[in-house]
């Protein structure tokens, strides 16, 4: 068939990068410097480089490095968005990912012009179907937080159990019972104490924990929700 009868499909990756700032979920946006929607704030995204990228996840990791100066964080494939109406350039397919990054990891990155963090409940109008991607990412993260270790990827390398509980509560948007939460952490069996490392003074210092190596790239799962 001729190219006119079978036009090329635009293939991209887009990433909803979520982090916690001031106890609230924020998304990372970049200002577009090319048409369409030049000057608009959007999710970090870009074309799949078939000659360089091993798969779509490698494309997403590369785009985050190029657009936001971030090494590959926790990445999970979210959904595929496709169709004729989503991009004025033509029929397109975007593989969307969700990335979770600790706030302290972003603090160590030099500021970049055209990159900013925005609270997820105060996002500007986003081009393409990026708003739907954010909604899908929030629904995924909040759902999985009820029965998995997903929110721990918003924590730093070490943390106390109260700090981890605060992260779960920020993601879920509601307070959690302390006893039930600690029982769930025991059930997930994803944490290990850091020997000799505590936070606080001499009166009841808090033990510091870290994620066990087995769960740094895979989620710990529970059969029961919080």
């Amino acid at each position: 068939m001729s190219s006119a009868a079978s036009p090329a499909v635009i293939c991209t990756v887009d990433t909803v990068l979520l982090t916690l700032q001031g106890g609230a979920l924020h998304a990372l946006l970049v200002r577009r410097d090319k048409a369409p929607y030049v000057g608009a704030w959007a999710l970090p995204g870009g074309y799949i480089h078939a000659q360089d990228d091993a798969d779509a996840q490698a494309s997403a990791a590369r785009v985050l490095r190029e657009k936001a100066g971030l090494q590959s964080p926790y990445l999970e494939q979210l959904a595929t968005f496709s169709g004729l109406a989503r991009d004025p350039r033509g029929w397109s397919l975007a593989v969307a990912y969700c990335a979770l990054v600790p706030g302290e990891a972003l603090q160590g990155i030099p500021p970049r012009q055209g990159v900013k963090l925005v609270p997820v409940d105060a996002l500007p109008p986003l081009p393409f179907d990026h708003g739907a991607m954010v909604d899908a990412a929030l629904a995924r993260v909040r759902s999985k937080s009820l029965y998995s270790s997903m929110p721990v990827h918003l924590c730093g390398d070490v943390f106390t159990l109260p700090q981890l509980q605060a992260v779960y509560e920020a993601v879920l948007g509601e307070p959690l019972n302390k006893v039930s939460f600690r029982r769930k952490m025991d059930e997930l069996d994803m944490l290990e104490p850091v020997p000799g490392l505590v936070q606080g003074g001499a009166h009841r210092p808090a033990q510091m924990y870290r994620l066990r190596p087995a769960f740094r790239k895979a989620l710990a799962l529970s059969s029961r929700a919080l």
Side-chain angles (χ1 to χ4, degrees):
M1 296 179 66
S2 68
S3 59
S6 181
V9 173
I10 300 168
C11 292
T12 63
V13 289
D14 294 293
T15 300
V16 183
L17 188 151
L18 298 175
T19 191
L20 282 174
Q21 298 283 311
L25 278 173
H26 286 57
L28 184 138
L29 301 180
V30 297
R31 190 182 291 279
R32 288 184 57 80
D33 59 2
K34 296 182 177 65
Y37 308 114
V38 63
W41 290 101
L43 297 176
Y47 290 108
I48 291 172
H49 292 177
Q51 70 277 17
D52 299 318
D53 301 331
D55 51 28
Q57 183 156 324
S59 296
R62 174 182 52 77
V63 167
L64 282 176
R65 290 194 303 271
E66 294 173 352
K67 298 288 180 73
L70 286 169
Q71 292 300 314
S72 178
Y74 176 83
L75 275 174
E76 180 175 305
Q77 191 174 124
L78 186 62
T80 299
F81 294 77
S82 63
L84 179 62
R86 63 176 304 274
D87 191 322
R89 293 170 293 186
W91 209 102
S92 67
L93 180 150
V95 184
Y97 281 82
C98 179
L100 301 182
V101 180
E104 64 182 41
L106 293 174
Q107 292 172 4
I109 297 173
R112 285 191 170 209
Q113 187 174 6
V115 178
K116 67 177 180 179
L117 292 171
V118 182
V120 295
D121 58 359
L123 293 173
L126 300 177
F128 307 107
D129 42 14
H130 287 186
M133 292 181 185
V134 174
D135 290 342
L138 291 173
R140 170 77 63 85
V141 171
R142 286 167 176 158
S143 173
K144 279 198 165 185
S145 295
L146 290 169
Y147 64 88
S148 82
S149 60
M150 180 170 271
V152 78
H153 295 286
L154 293 168
C155 295
D157 292 335
V158 297
F159 44 83
T160 65
L161 287 178
Q163 288 170 342
L164 180 58
Q165 181 172 338
V167 169
Y168 269 81
E169 290 174 339
V171 171
L172 294 171
E174 60 183 12
L176 298 172
N177 177 271
K178 177 180 176 180
V179 174
S180 297
F181 175 78
R182 297 199 174 199
R183 185 182 303 122
K184 178 59 65 177
M185 294 305 101
D186 288 340
E187 184 179 322
L188 288 169
D189 195 26
M190 65 181 183
L191 304 177
E192 61 183 15
V194 182
L197 189 58
V198 297
Q199 185 180 80
H203 181 65
R204 301 187 68 181
Q207 174 67 51
M208 303 293 286
Y209 291 85
R210 62 191 171 204
L211 192 60
R212 291 173 55 200
F215 299 111
R216 290 173 187 167
K217 294 295 183 181
L219 296 180
L221 301 174
S222 170
S223 59
R224 295 181 300 108
L226 276 168

